[in-house]
C-alpha cells in the first residue's frame, strides 16, 4: 500500500528518499513521485509503474541543483481514488506552491472538494488527496502560518490517513500528520526524516519517534515540534531501532517468496525458541493475554492471518475445551458483536498495520476485552496499541503473499492451545512434553517437506494452464484449503476456491468437469475415509485429482491423478500438526505455478503487503 519518505536538512535529499521508497516497494504500488526544492522553486517528478522508471526520469534532470536540494519528499501510490496515471500520482500540487503526499483515505473529500470548487479551485486529479494542498494554498494565501494551516485542515478531515506537506514559503519545513495510518520520524544529526515505517528510513537514522494517533508535527532540519489531537505541544519517546541496514536481499533465490518459503525451517527456530524455555515450559503469560478459563476467546484477523485464526480455533477448542470465536476483522467492527462471554481478543497480523485488524482491536478494547496481538513487525501500530504482544519473529516478509508468517502464526497458536490444555489438565505431563518435543523438531521436519519441491514442480506443470482450481480439506485442514486457494489466486491469477470437503455435494460439485484440478489435503485424523468418499464424485466425473497427504492415508485411494506424500516426523504421526506441514506444499504449488506463468510473484497486480486502507 502507499509509502511515504521525506528528508529535510541533508544534501542530495532526493537520493535518500529514493532509497527509502525502494525499501517500501514490497508494500505494493503502481506509481511513484518525488517533490523537492531547487533554485528556489518547488519541483516534482512522477512516473507510472515501477520505481526504476522514476529513477530513470530523475537521472535525465540537471543534477547539480538536485544535488544541492536538502529537502525532498517521495511517495509510492497504490491507487484507491482515480486510476493509475500521472495526474493521480503523488505528490499532488496546488498552484505550484504546495505539494502533498498522502496515505489512506479522506472520507469526506467530496464535501471538501465541492467547497473548494465553489471557491474557484481547479482539480487536476481524481484523488481524495487534492483537497489537502488546495486547502493549504487557501490558508497560506489568507495569511495563516504553515503550521496553523495544517492544524485547521486537520480539523476538517475525516478518515484514516497520514500526509506530509511542503510549501514554497517554508523551504526548510515539512508538515506531517497521522490519523490511524502509521508514520515515523527519524532523528538525524542536523537533519530529520519521515517514513511510513522504520525500515524505510533506517539507512539514515537509528533513532526514531513514532507519532501517536492524531499527532501532527512541524519538522525542519534542526527541530521537530509535535502536537497532539488537542493541539498541545508534546514530547514523544525516542527509541533506538535495530534494523538491518541496506536492502534485504533475495540471497540467490529468484523471488522473495521463494526465499521466504525456503527459510521457514531456520526462521521458525526463532519463533519456537522465543516461546519455549530451557525447562520445556511454554512461556506464554495467560494472564497478560487476558484469558480467563471460564470465558471464551475471540480472534480477529484478515486474509492469511484469518486462516491461521481458523486453525487456532480448531486447536484451542480441541485441546483445551475453551470456546473460540473467529471473525474477519473487516466484519467484526461493523457487526455489533456480543462480547459478554469473552475475556480476551487475539488479533493476528504479520504487518501489524492492517487497518481492519487494527480497528477490530480498537472495537475489542471499547468492549473491555483484553487485547493480545500476534504480530511479526515490532513497533507496528497494532503492536503498540495492544495490551500485550506475542512476536512471531520471522524477520521481514517482503513477498506480498504471506508464507513464513503463516506458519509462525500457527506455531504460536498451537503453543497457546497447549499451554491452555496443560493449565486445564486436559493433557497430562507426558502428552504435553511429547508435544513440546515435536514442536522443537518441527523445523527439521519442514526441511524434509521442502525436499518435495521437485515433486510439487511436476504437479504444477500439470495444472499451470488451468482456468479454475478447487482445494478441499476437512477439520483443521479446511483452513489450509482456503489458504491454498488464496495463495494460488493472488500470485498466479488463476481462479481458485477452497471448500470443506463435506460441503462438496451441497453445491461446489456442480463445478466439476473433465480435467478440473481438485487438490485435497488429507491427514489421518479419523475423517480420512469420509473425505475420500466426498471426492469420489469428482473422481468419477474425470476431475484431475491431486492428493496431498501423510504416509498413513496416501494409499487410501488409487484413483488420484497425482499424489504428494508428506514425510511424517515420527511413527506416531499426530494429525494436530498437519496444517503446519500441509501449508508448505500449498505455498510451493502456488509459487511454481505463478513462476511458470510469468507473473510478478513478489508484487502481484492490485495487491499490497500492508492493507492500510479500508
Ligand atoms: C496473504 O498472502 C495476503 N497477502 C493477505 O491476505 C494478508 O494475509 C492480509 O492482508 C493480512 O495481513 P496482515 O497479516 O499483515 O494483517
Amino acid at each position: 500500500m502507499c509509502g511515504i519518505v521525506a528528508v529535510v536538512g541533508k544534501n542530495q535529499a532526493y537520493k535518500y528518499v529514493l532509497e527509502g521508497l525502494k525499501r517500501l516497494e514490497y508494500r505494493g504500488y503502481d506509481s511513484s513521485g518525488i517533490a523537492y526544492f531547487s533554485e528556489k522553486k518547488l519541483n516534482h517528478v512522477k512516473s507510472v509503474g515501477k520505481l526504476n522508471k522514476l529513477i530513470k526520469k530523475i537521472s535525465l534532470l540537471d543534477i547539480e541543483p538536485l544535488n544541492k536540494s536538502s529537502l525532498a519528499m517521495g511517495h509510492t501510490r497504490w491507487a484507491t481514488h482515480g486510476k493509475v496515471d500521472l495526474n493521480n500520482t503523488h505528490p499532488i500540487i496546488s498552484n505550484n506552491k504546495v505539494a502533498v503526499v498522502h496515505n489512506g483515505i479522506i472520507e469526506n473529500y467530496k464535501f471538501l472538494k465541492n467547497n473548494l470548487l465553489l471557491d474557484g479551485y481547479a482539480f487536476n486529479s481524481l484523488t481524495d488527496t487534492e483537497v489537502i494542498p488546495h486547502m493549504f494554498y487557501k490558508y497560506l494565501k489568507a495569511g495563516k502560518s504553515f503550521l496553523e494551516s495544517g492544524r485547521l485542515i486537520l480539523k476538517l478531515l475525516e478518515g484514516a490517513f497520514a500526509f506530509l506537506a511542503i510549501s514554497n514559503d517554508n523551504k526548510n519545513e515539512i508538515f506531517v500528520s497521522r490519523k490511524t495510518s502509521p508514520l515515523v520520524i527519524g532523528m538525524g544529526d542536523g537533519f530529520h526524516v519521515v517514513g511510513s515505517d522504520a525500515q524505510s528510513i533506517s539507512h539514515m537514522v537509528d533513532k526514531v519517534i513514532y507519532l501517536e494517533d492524531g499527532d501532527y508535527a512541524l519538522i525542519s532540519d534542526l527541530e521537530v515540534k509535535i502536537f497532539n489531537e488537542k493541539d498541545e505541544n508534546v514530547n514523544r519517546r525516542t527509541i533506538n531501532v535495530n534494523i538491518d541496514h541496506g536492502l534485504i536481499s533475495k540471497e540467490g533465490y529468484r523471488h522473495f517468496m521463494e526465499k521466504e518459503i525456503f527459510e521457514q525451517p531456520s526462521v521458525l527456530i526463532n519463533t519456537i525458541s522465543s516461546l519455549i524455555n530451557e525447562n520445556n515450559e511454554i512461556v506464554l503469560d495467560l494472564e497478560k493475554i487476558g484469558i480467563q478459563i471460564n470465558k471464551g476467546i475471540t480472534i480477529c484477523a484478515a486474509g492469511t492471518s484469518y486462516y491461521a485464526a481458523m486453525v487456532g480455533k480448531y486447536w484451542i477448542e480441541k485441546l483445551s475445551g475453551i470456546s473460540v470465536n473467529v471473525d474477519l476483522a473487516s466484519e467484526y467492527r461493523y457487526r455489533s458483536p456480543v462480547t459478554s462471554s469473552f475475556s480476551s481478543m487475539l488479533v493476528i497480523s504479520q504487518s501489524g498495520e492492517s487497518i481492519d485488524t487494527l480497528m477490530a482491536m480498537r472495537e475489542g478494547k471499547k468492549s473491555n476485552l483484553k487485547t493480545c496481538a500476534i504480530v511479526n513487525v515490532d513497533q507496528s501500530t497494532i503492536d503498540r496499541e495492544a495490551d500485550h504482544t506475542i512476536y512471531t519473529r520471522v524477520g521481514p516478509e517482503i513477498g506480498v503473499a504471506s508464507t513464513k508468517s503463516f506458519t509462525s502464526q500457527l506455531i504460536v497458536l498451537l503453543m497457546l492451545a497447549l499451554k491452555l490444555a496443560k493449565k486445564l489438565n486436559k493433557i497430562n505431563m507426558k502428552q504435553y512434553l511429547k508435544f513440546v518435543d515435536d514442536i522443537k523438531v518441527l523445523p527439521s521436519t519442514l526441511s524434509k517437506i521442502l525436499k518435495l519441491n521437485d515433486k510439487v514442480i511436476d504437479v504444477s506443470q500439470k495444472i499451470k494452464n488451468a482456468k479454475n482450481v478447487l482445494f478441499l480439506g476437512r477439520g483443521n485442514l479446511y483452513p489450509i484449503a482456503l489458504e491454498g486457494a488464496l495463495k494460488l489466486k493472488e500470485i498466479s491469477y488463476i481462479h481458485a476456491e477452497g471448500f470443506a470437503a463435506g460441503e462438496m455435494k451441497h453445491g461446489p460439485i456442480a463445478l466439476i468437469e473433465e480435467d478440473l484440478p481438485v487438490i485435497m489435503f488429507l491427514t489421518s485424523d479419523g475423517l480420512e475415509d469420509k473425505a475420500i468418499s466426498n471426492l469420489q464424485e469428482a473422481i468419477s466425473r474425470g476431475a484431475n485429482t491431486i492428493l496431498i497427504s501423510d504416509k498413513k492415508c496416501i494409499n487410501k485411494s488409487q484413483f488420484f491423478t497425482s499424489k504428494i506424500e508428506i514425510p511424517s516426523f515420527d511413527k506416531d504421526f499426530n494429525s494436530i500438526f498437519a496444517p503446519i506441514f500441509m501449508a508448505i506444499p500449498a505455498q510451493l504449488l502456488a509459487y511454481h505455478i505463478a513462476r511458470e506463468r510469468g507473473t510478478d510473484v513478489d508484487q502481484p497486480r492490485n495487491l499490497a503487503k500492508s492493507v492500510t486502507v479500508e
Side-chain angles (χ1 to χ4, degrees):
M1 207 127 282
C2 304
I4 286 175
V5 182
V7 175
V8 54
K10 210 169 168 65
N11 279 349
Q12 299 192 316
Y14 80 99
K15 274 196 182 167
Y16 295 97
V17 166
L18 290 175
E19 164 77 16
L21 293 180
K22 266 192 203 160
R23 289 160 175 254
L24 292 172
E25 267 195 304
Y26 72 92
R27 293 172 157 227
Y29 66 103
D30 30 48
S31 64
S32 59
I34 64 162
Y36 58 96
F37 293 114
S38 79
E39 296 172 327
K40 300 191 177 155
K41 270 188 13 225
L42 174 61
N43 297 286
H44 66 271
V45 190
K46 302 181 187 187
S47 179
V48 167
K50 294 291 174 199
L51 255 183
N52 51 13
K53 292 202 178 148
L54 178 72
I55 294 171
K56 195 161 176 210
K57 264 192 174 176
I58 292 172
S59 70
L60 302 173
L61 300 173
D62 184 0
I63 208 72
E64 212 178 308
L66 198 55
N67 276 341
K68 280 191 200 146
S69 174
S70 62
L71 187 151
M73 167 175 97
H75 188 263
T76 45
R77 173 176 188 252
W78 187 80
T80 54
H81 294 71
K83 62 181 179 174
V84 181
D85 67 15
L86 280 184
N87 283 346
N88 294 330
T89 299
H90 299 207
I92 304 286
I93 315 282
S94 176
N95 294 286
N96 291 324
K97 190 178 171 97
V98 180
V100 167
V101 292
H102 157 229
N103 290 354
I105 290 176
I106 309 298
E107 284 169 4
N108 60 338
Y109 83 99
K110 282 192 184 143
F111 168 78
L112 298 168
K113 184 170 174 173
N114 284 338
N115 287 344
L116 288 160
L117 286 168
L118 290 176
D119 287 345
Y121 285 85
F123 280 73
N124 294 318
S125 76
L126 291 175
T127 62
D128 51 340
T129 308
E130 194 168 353
V131 295
I132 306 175
H134 283 330
M135 286 196 287
F136 262 108
Y137 182 80
K138 182 176 157 181
Y139 288 129
L140 290 170
K141 206 169 78 174
K144 304 279 178 209
S145 72
F146 194 33
L147 179 64
E148 189 54 26
S149 304
R151 188 176 279 158
L152 289 169
I153 291 166
L154 282 173
K155 305 271 181 251
L156 299 173
L157 299 181
E158 286 168 19
F161 53 80
F163 75 80
L164 267 57
I166 57 175
S167 144
N168 232 342
D169 292 343
N170 310 71
K171 294 192 184 61
N172 190 33
E173 283 177 339
I174 308 175
F175 181 87
V176 170
S177 104
R178 80 153 281 212
K179 194 171 161 200
T180 310
S181 295
L183 215 51
V184 55
I185 300 173
M187 312 298 285
D189 191 6
F191 70 94
H192 290 109
V193 297
V194 188
S196 291
D197 64 21
Q199 173 70 28
S200 67
I201 54 174
S202 65
H203 55 304
M204 297 178 270
V205 291
D206 50 18
K207 285 193 174 57
V208 301
I209 292 176
Y210 284 93
L211 288 183
E212 289 187 10
D213 212 24
D215 280 356
Y216 60 96
L218 193 66
I219 301 175
S220 65
D221 50 354
L222 298 175
E223 207 177 12
V224 173
K225 275 191 214 148
I226 304 176
F227 301 87
N228 64 13
E229 228 163 354
K230 294 182 198 148
D231 301 324
E232 294 157 342
N233 197 180
V234 286
N235 286 319
R236 299 286 181 221
R237 199 160 59 95
T238 304
I239 55 175
N240 285 314
V241 279
N242 185 14
I243 295 174
D244 231 358
H245 284 249
L247 285 175
I248 301 154
S249 104
K250 293 185 196 138
E251 290 167 16
Y253 288 98
R254 289 164 287 194
H255 298 96
F256 280 110
M257 183 182 179
E258 188 183 29
K259 174 190 163 222
E260 286 155 6
I261 292 173
F262 279 89
E263 73 185 4
Q264 288 177 98
S266 60
V267 295
L268 291 174
I269 292 175
N270 299 337
T271 318
I272 294 167
S273 58
S274 68
L275 296 175
I276 299 180
N277 71 13
E278 60 285 3
N279 302 320
N280 281 331
E281 270 159 31
I282 293 173
V283 287
L284 288 171
D285 189 328
L286 297 179
E287 205 173 308
K288 282 192 180 149
I289 297 171
I291 294 177
Q292 291 170 17
I293 48 175
N294 54 347
K295 294 241 171 173
I297 303 168
T298 193
I299 314 183
C300 289
T304 290
S305 300
Y306 172 71
Y307 299 142
M310 286 176 74
V311 179
K313 171 184 168 75
Y314 179 94
W315 280 333
I316 295 171
E317 292 193 340
K318 186 175 173 74
L319 291 170
S320 76
I322 288 190
S323 112
V324 178
N325 165 67
V326 175
D327 260 281
L328 282 167
S330 55
E331 289 293 316
Y332 184 86
R333 57 186 288 205
Y334 295 117
R335 78 165 175 83
S336 312
V338 177
T339 54
S340 49
S341 53
F342 304 106
S343 62
S344 67
M345 174 187 271
L346 290 184
V347 291
I348 307 176
S349 174
Q350 184 286 130
S351 59
E353 299 295 353
S354 293
I355 188 92
D356 293 322
T357 311
L358 172 65
M359 297 314 259
M361 186 174 84
R362 288 184 182 167
E363 281 301 313
K365 280 197 164 180
K366 273 194 221 155
S367 318
N368 291 324
L369 295 177
K370 268 227 170 174
T371 55
C372 170
I374 300 175
V375 300
N376 190 37
V377 181
D378 186 10
Q379 293 297 331
S380 54
T381 309
I382 291 176
D383 171 25
R384 284 179 289 117
E385 289 194 18
D387 295 321
H388 180 64
T389 300
I390 304 166
Y391 299 100
T392 50
R393 300 182 197 279
V394 289
E397 189 177 67
I398 305 297
V400 162
S402 295
T403 51
K404 60 179 179 174
S405 60
F406 180 60
T407 42
S408 67
Q409 291 163 350
L410 290 181
I411 287 173
V412 171
L413 289 162
L414 179 56
M415 293 217 227
L416 179 59
L418 289 170
K419 180 93 184 176
L420 287 167
K422 184 175 166 237
K423 179 162 173 84
L424 295 170
N425 293 321
K426 297 283 171 147
I427 52 173
N428 60 35
M429 199 56 179
K430 194 170 162 216
Q431 289 167 316
Y432 168 80
L433 288 174
K434 171 79 175 86
F435 269 120
V436 169
D437 279 348
D438 287 348
I439 290 175
K440 283 183 175 169
V441 298
L442 262 177
S444 62
T445 313
L446 295 188
S447 297
K448 282 191 221 156
I449 296 174
L450 283 164
K451 295 208 172 93
L452 294 171
N453 195 34
D454 288 344
K455 179 81 191 158
V456 177
I457 291 174
D458 289 347
V459 173
S460 67
Q461 294 293 345
K462 292 183 195 150
I463 46 181
K464 66 179 186 196
N465 295 320
K467 288 212 162 51
N468 302 289
V469 178
L470 300 189
F471 288 79
L472 304 178
R474 286 196 80 126
N476 65 12
L477 291 177
Y478 166 44
I480 302 302
L482 296 171
E483 169 63 359
L486 175 67
K487 226 59 328 157
L488 185 63
K489 72 182 109 176
E490 69 180 335
I491 60 168
S492 75
Y493 316 146
I494 295 176
H495 174 240
E497 296 295 336
F499 294 106
E503 282 296 290
M504 276 299 276
K505 54 188 159 315
H506 296 288
I509 195 153
L511 297 170
I512 303 288
E513 55 186 16
E514 192 83 18
D515 289 334
L516 174 83
V518 180
I519 298 165
M520 169 167 267
F521 300 102
L522 193 65
T523 185
S524 28
D525 57 359
L527 291 175
E528 55 270 35
D529 291 329
K530 281 187 193 299
I532 299 250
S533 80
N534 294 145
L535 202 65
Q536 216 53 55
E537 292 95 340
I539 293 173
S540 47
R541 283 164 181 77
N544 174 11
T545 48
I546 296 137
L547 178 66
I548 302 180
S549 173
D550 64 65
K551 194 182 176 75
K552 272 197 192 161
C553 44
I554 195 81
N555 292 320
K556 283 266 169 194
S557 163
Q558 69 273 37
F559 298 112
F560 285 91
T561 325
S562 321
K563 291 180 178 182
I564 297 177
E565 183 188 323
I566 302 295
S568 304
F569 60 98
D570 67 12
K571 300 192 288 305
D572 324 313
F573 178 82
N574 190 338
S575 61
I576 285 281
F577 289 89
I580 304 173
F581 297 162
M582 304 280 178
I584 306 285
Q587 295 166 353
L588 285 171
L589 196 63
Y591 171 70
H592 289 300
I593 293 174
R595 186 182 51 72
E596 288 278 342
R597 290 167 69 98
T599 57
D600 190 347
V601 171
D602 285 332
Q603 289 168 30
R605 68 184 180 203
N606 308 335
L607 291 182
K609 185 66 183 162
S610 338
V611 182
T612 52
V613 291
E614 225 186 315

